[in-house]
Each structure stands twice: as C-alpha cells, then as structure tokens.
Amino acid sequence: MSPIRFIKDWMLPLSMTSGVLIYLIYINIPVLAPAGPYLHRTVTILQPLLLFIMLFLTFCRITPKDIRPRKWHRGLLLFQSSIFVGLAVLLRLLPDFHGSVLIESAMLCIICPTATAAAVVTGRLGGDISGLTAYIILINLTAAILVPAFVPIVHPVEGITFFTAFSMIMAKVFPLLICPCLLAWIVRYLMPKLHRRIMRYDNLAFYIWGFSLMLAILMTTRSIVHSTVPVIYMIGIAAVSLVCCVIQFWTGRKIGKLYGAHITAGQSLGQKNTVFAIWMGYTFMTPVTSIAGGFYSIWHNAYNSWQLYRKRKEKQESL
C-alpha cells in the first residue's frame, strides 16, 4: 500500500492521534510555552475558516431545490427537542439534585446541532448529502430557539435575555452556515467555469476535514489536560457523553431506516458540532459541562472511524 493510500484510508484515526500527540509534545517542551497564545489564536481562526470551506464545497455539489425537508427530519427534530425539554423540566423539578451537571451535560449533547463536517463522512458512507445539509439548517434554527427558551429555567445567566441569547447563537451560526451557501450558489450560477473546476477536486473536502479534525482533537486534549474538574465528575461527564453518542447514532439510524435514509439520519443525529457545544457550555450552562463537547468529539469520531473502515472493507470484499 502506498503512503498516500494509507493516509487516505486511515485519515480519521491518524488525525485524532496526531492531535493528541502534537499537544502532548508541545506541553512537554518548555521552550515552546511563549508561543502558546499565538498558536491558540491561530487555531481559533483556522477552525471556522476550514469549516466555512468544507461547507462551501458541500453546497457547490447541491442545488437550492435539494435543500428541502425530508420526512425523517421531523422524527429527528422531535427526538432532540423533546429530550432536551424533558431534561430541562426534570432539572427544574429537582433543583437540589447533586448530579445536575451530568444532566446539563446530557442536554448539551442532545441539542447540539449536526457538525458541518458530517457531510464529508455521510458522502463517504454513501448517504444523502443534501438531506443532511437541510437538517443542519433546521437543527441550528431549532437550537437557536430552544436553548435561550429553556436553559434559563435551569441555569439562569444574568444579563442574557431570550433575544440576546438567540442573537448570540445566530451570530455564531449565520457566518458558517448561510454565507457558504450563498457563496456556493453565486459561483454555481454566475461563475460556471470556476464551479466546474471546483467540482473536479472530489477529495479536497475530505483532506480539509482531516486537518480540521486534528485541530479539534488538539483543542479537546488541551481542555481535558488543563481542566480543574474533579476526576469523578470528569468520568461522569465522559460516560454521559458516550451514552448520548450511542443513543443518538442508534436512534437516528432507526428513524432513518423507516424512510430508507439510515446512514444520513444516523450521521445527522449522531455527529455533532462539538466546537459549538463547548461554546454553549461555557456561555449558557455550568462551564464544566463544556468538557462534554470535548469527550463527545472523541466518541463520535471513533465511531466514524469504525464506520469508514467497515465501508472500505465491504467495498474491497465486493471487488
């Protein structure tokens, strides 16, 4: 097997391992410490830029008429919304519950929107990219309404009203969701030659996703290493995020199977925008819950690694 083929086949686990190793090497070389703030700023700029490019490439491959609701969207939205609201009500009824941080972590993992990079994995698995992209839009709008409406019930944040929180979430969502869409369709209809050239690079989004994943795991490792959370809580949050990950992939595939879209629905519900989840944890909930987003990133990417390996194995066996 050639090195390029090896990297392509094992992109996801290589990216995850590289992210962990790079950060662990960095913190064990004291001379690199002064560069920390600059490196952190660089990563925080690169991450949204890479997501923007990946979503732009995705929208280049679909037309406006493809972005329409599917029947399975309703089931997924109902699942996420009802579980999130139910957990919020539970916390309201049990204000002195000692495990409230764990319930908040579950709320965060459930309502967190689908990752923009999910389109890359869905395409590799043979799913419906346009259906998943439509769900990304729907779940982001749903989260923008439900989070400010229900989080203050269980975790009031002084000075943050519904409209303030809604505006904050939309400010995070709009540039990375709507702008790539508009730009892609401008290129499609006004610059057809450029659009055809872009379409030639089938694997570009895949390689960008691999690099973006490395940065995401690097930042996850950083947050876990520097966390001051007691070990018992960290274990509990890790377990909660794992359970949420398993339930959502399983539920998504079961709902999607009813409509012949088990792969797409599974990725739509299971693969999360964990960077957004970490931000929501810090901004609207008990800050320690942001760790749930970091752990979830590990779980859903580990599962995606297995899915891609299985898909590649099936393809080889069919030849």
PDB file of all heavy atoms in Angstrom, residues 33 36 70 116 120 124 131 188 232 273 276 278 293 307:
ATOM      1  N   ALA A  33       6.511  27.293  25.239  1.00  0.00           N
ATOM      2  CA  ALA A  33       5.438  27.903  26.029  1.00  0.00           C
ATOM      3  C   ALA A  33       5.085  29.333  25.590  1.00  0.00           C
ATOM      4  O   ALA A  33       3.904  29.681  25.493  1.00  0.00           O
ATOM      5  CB  ALA A  33       5.792  27.872  27.508  1.00  0.00           C
ATOM      6  N   GLY A  36       2.441  29.780  22.944  1.00  0.00           N
ATOM      7  CA  GLY A  36       1.106  29.269  23.225  1.00  0.00           C
ATOM      8  C   GLY A  36      -0.033  30.196  22.820  1.00  0.00           C
ATOM      9  O   GLY A  36      -0.943  29.791  22.088  1.00  0.00           O
ATOM     10  N   ARG A  70     -37.068  16.586   4.571  1.00  0.00           N
ATOM     11  CA  ARG A  70     -37.353  15.168   4.349  1.00  0.00           C
ATOM     12  C   ARG A  70     -38.271  14.672   5.474  1.00  0.00           C
ATOM     13  O   ARG A  70     -38.340  15.277   6.549  1.00  0.00           O
ATOM     14  CB  ARG A  70     -36.064  14.351   4.386  1.00  0.00           C
ATOM     15  CG  ARG A  70     -35.373  14.153   3.040  1.00  0.00           C
ATOM     16  CD  ARG A  70     -34.831  15.402   2.446  1.00  0.00           C
ATOM     17  NE  ARG A  70     -33.878  15.105   1.365  1.00  0.00           N
ATOM     18  CZ  ARG A  70     -33.305  16.035   0.620  1.00  0.00           C
ATOM     19  NH1 ARG A  70     -33.589  17.316   0.816  1.00  0.00           N
ATOM     20  NH2 ARG A  70     -32.456  15.703  -0.333  1.00  0.00           N
ATOM     21  N   THR A 116     -20.980  20.480  10.627  1.00  0.00           N
ATOM     22  CA  THR A 116     -20.911  20.801   9.204  1.00  0.00           C
ATOM     23  C   THR A 116     -20.052  19.778   8.462  1.00  0.00           C
ATOM     24  O   THR A 116     -20.276  19.499   7.288  1.00  0.00           O
ATOM     25  CB  THR A 116     -20.334  22.208   8.990  1.00  0.00           C
ATOM     26  OG1 THR A 116     -19.089  22.328   9.670  1.00  0.00           O
ATOM     27  CG2 THR A 116     -21.280  23.280   9.522  1.00  0.00           C
ATOM     28  N   VAL A 120     -19.105  15.349   4.883  1.00  0.00           N
ATOM     29  CA  VAL A 120     -17.957  14.622   4.329  1.00  0.00           C
ATOM     30  C   VAL A 120     -18.079  13.136   4.646  1.00  0.00           C
ATOM     31  O   VAL A 120     -17.919  12.283   3.773  1.00  0.00           O
ATOM     32  CB  VAL A 120     -16.637  15.190   4.879  1.00  0.00           C
ATOM     33  CG1 VAL A 120     -15.447  14.405   4.331  1.00  0.00           C
ATOM     34  CG2 VAL A 120     -16.495  16.669   4.539  1.00  0.00           C
ATOM     35  N   ARG A 124     -18.933   9.811   2.178  1.00  0.00           N
ATOM     36  CA  ARG A 124     -18.059   8.631   2.140  1.00  0.00           C
ATOM     37  C   ARG A 124     -18.829   7.347   2.428  1.00  0.00           C
ATOM     38  O   ARG A 124     -18.483   6.277   1.927  1.00  0.00           O
ATOM     39  CB  ARG A 124     -16.937   8.791   3.164  1.00  0.00           C
ATOM     40  CG  ARG A 124     -15.919   9.844   2.809  1.00  0.00           C
ATOM     41  CD  ARG A 124     -14.820   9.236   1.979  1.00  0.00           C
ATOM     42  NE  ARG A 124     -14.066  10.264   1.258  1.00  0.00           N
ATOM     43  CZ  ARG A 124     -13.041  10.020   0.485  1.00  0.00           C
ATOM     44  NH1 ARG A 124     -12.646   8.770   0.295  1.00  0.00           N
ATOM     45  NH2 ARG A 124     -12.405  10.979  -0.146  1.00  0.00           N
ATOM     46  N   GLY A 131     -29.782  15.960   1.967  1.00  0.00           N
ATOM     47  CA  GLY A 131     -30.705  15.762   3.077  1.00  0.00           C
ATOM     48  C   GLY A 131     -30.074  16.120   4.405  1.00  0.00           C
ATOM     49  O   GLY A 131     -30.701  16.745   5.268  1.00  0.00           O
ATOM     50  N   ARG A 188     -21.952  28.828  -8.559  1.00  0.00           N
ATOM     51  CA  ARG A 188     -22.636  27.875  -9.441  1.00  0.00           C
ATOM     52  C   ARG A 188     -23.318  28.581 -10.616  1.00  0.00           C
ATOM     53  O   ARG A 188     -23.204  28.146 -11.765  1.00  0.00           O
ATOM     54  CB  ARG A 188     -23.672  27.077  -8.639  1.00  0.00           C
ATOM     55  CG  ARG A 188     -24.584  26.223  -9.514  1.00  0.00           C
ATOM     56  CD  ARG A 188     -25.631  25.503  -8.667  1.00  0.00           C
ATOM     57  NE  ARG A 188     -25.048  24.378  -7.967  1.00  0.00           N
ATOM     58  CZ  ARG A 188     -24.975  23.136  -8.451  1.00  0.00           C
ATOM     59  NH1 ARG A 188     -25.421  22.876  -9.675  1.00  0.00           N
ATOM     60  NH2 ARG A 188     -24.449  22.168  -7.736  1.00  0.00           N
ATOM     61  N   ILE A 232     -13.848  12.467  39.420  1.00  0.00           N
ATOM     62  CA  ILE A 232     -15.120  11.745  39.460  1.00  0.00           C
ATOM     63  C   ILE A 232     -16.151  12.395  38.538  1.00  0.00           C
ATOM     64  O   ILE A 232     -16.912  11.725  37.841  1.00  0.00           O
ATOM     65  CB  ILE A 232     -15.665  11.659  40.910  1.00  0.00           C
ATOM     66  CG1 ILE A 232     -16.890  10.755  40.965  1.00  0.00           C
ATOM     67  CG2 ILE A 232     -15.957  13.048  41.462  1.00  0.00           C
ATOM     68  CD1 ILE A 232     -16.603   9.309  40.666  1.00  0.00           C
ATOM     69  N   ASN A 273     -21.567  19.166  16.153  1.00  0.00           N
ATOM     70  CA  ASN A 273     -20.668  20.320  16.077  1.00  0.00           C
ATOM     71  C   ASN A 273     -20.125  20.566  17.485  1.00  0.00           C
ATOM     72  O   ASN A 273     -20.618  21.421  18.220  1.00  0.00           O
ATOM     73  CB  ASN A 273     -21.429  21.539  15.558  1.00  0.00           C
ATOM     74  CG  ASN A 273     -20.547  22.762  15.368  1.00  0.00           C
ATOM     75  OD1 ASN A 273     -19.388  22.782  15.784  1.00  0.00           O
ATOM     76  ND2 ASN A 273     -21.081  23.791  14.758  1.00  0.00           N
ATOM     77  N   PHE A 276     -19.134  24.017  18.772  1.00  0.00           N
ATOM     78  CA  PHE A 276     -20.312  24.796  19.156  1.00  0.00           C
ATOM     79  C   PHE A 276     -20.823  24.344  20.522  1.00  0.00           C
ATOM     80  O   PHE A 276     -21.269  25.168  21.340  1.00  0.00           O
ATOM     81  CB  PHE A 276     -21.388  24.635  18.091  1.00  0.00           C
ATOM     82  CG  PHE A 276     -22.565  25.543  18.252  1.00  0.00           C
ATOM     83  CD1 PHE A 276     -22.436  26.910  18.048  1.00  0.00           C
ATOM     84  CD2 PHE A 276     -23.814  25.046  18.602  1.00  0.00           C
ATOM     85  CE1 PHE A 276     -23.524  27.763  18.177  1.00  0.00           C
ATOM     86  CE2 PHE A 276     -24.898  25.886  18.741  1.00  0.00           C
ATOM     87  CZ  PHE A 276     -24.768  27.246  18.527  1.00  0.00           C
ATOM     88  N   ILE A 278     -19.057  23.110  23.008  1.00  0.00           N
ATOM     89  CA  ILE A 278     -18.140  23.639  24.024  1.00  0.00           C
ATOM     90  C   ILE A 278     -18.464  25.105  24.291  1.00  0.00           C
ATOM     91  O   ILE A 278     -18.504  25.550  25.446  1.00  0.00           O
ATOM     92  CB  ILE A 278     -16.677  23.464  23.570  1.00  0.00           C
ATOM     93  CG1 ILE A 278     -16.304  21.978  23.565  1.00  0.00           C
ATOM     94  CG2 ILE A 278     -15.721  24.246  24.470  1.00  0.00           C
ATOM     95  CD1 ILE A 278     -14.981  21.662  22.904  1.00  0.00           C
ATOM     96  N   GLY A 293     -18.631  18.346  25.429  1.00  0.00           N
ATOM     97  CA  GLY A 293     -18.407  18.505  23.999  1.00  0.00           C
ATOM     98  C   GLY A 293     -17.085  17.909  23.567  1.00  0.00           C
ATOM     99  O   GLY A 293     -16.989  17.293  22.495  1.00  0.00           O
ATOM    100  N   GLN A 307     -16.952   3.098  11.161  1.00  0.00           N
ATOM    101  CA  GLN A 307     -17.876   3.052  10.027  1.00  0.00           C
ATOM    102  C   GLN A 307     -17.134   3.140   8.694  1.00  0.00           C
ATOM    103  O   GLN A 307     -17.443   2.398   7.757  1.00  0.00           O
ATOM    104  CB  GLN A 307     -18.865   4.226  10.109  1.00  0.00           C
ATOM    105  CG  GLN A 307     -19.910   4.104  11.184  1.00  0.00           C
ATOM    106  CD  GLN A 307     -20.992   5.143  11.001  1.00  0.00           C
ATOM    107  OE1 GLN A 307     -22.091   4.843  10.545  1.00  0.00           O
ATOM    108  NE2 GLN A 307     -20.712   6.380  11.353  1.00  0.00           N
TER     109      GLN A 307
END
